[in-house]
């Protein structure tokens, strides 16, 4: 069955490039998601501090 096997280095290279691009996009989206989550947590902490100041002022 070796004669049915075709070896096309261009196709393998294209597939590898596509895989690398996919990995880069995936990692970028993960970093962006973590950045948004961190920013949201910082905003929540600021709101908690504001509420704490308002409660103490009463």
């Amino acid at each position: 069955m070796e004669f049915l096997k075709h070896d096309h280095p261009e196709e393998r290279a294209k597939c590898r490039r596509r895989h690398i691009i996919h990995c880069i996009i995936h990692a970028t989206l993960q970093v962006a998601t973590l950045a948004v989550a961190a920013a949201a947590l910082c905003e929540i902490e600021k709101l908690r501090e504001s509420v704490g100041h308002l409660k103490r002022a009463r």
Side-chain angles (χ1 to χ4, degrees):
M1 294 305 258
E2 278 299 313
F3 62 91
L4 293 177
K5 192 175 178 182
H6 296 285
D7 190 22
H8 298 288
E10 323 71 53
E11 289 180 17
R12 265 192 286 135
K14 190 185 296 184
C15 184
R16 182 154 174 79
R17 269 185 251 121
R18 202 175 286 150
H19 177 72
I20 290 171
I21 290 170
H22 178 269
C23 289
I24 290 170
I25 291 171
H26 185 73
T28 303
L29 288 173
Q30 285 182 329
V31 169
T33 303
L34 287 173
V36 168
L41 288 173
C42 287
E43 289 300 316
I44 290 171
E45 188 58 35
K46 287 180 188 175
L47 287 172
R48 283 185 183 162
E49 288 176 4
S50 295
V51 169
H53 289 298
L54 288 174
K55 284 182 178 179
R56 280 184 245 137
R58 287 184 178 184

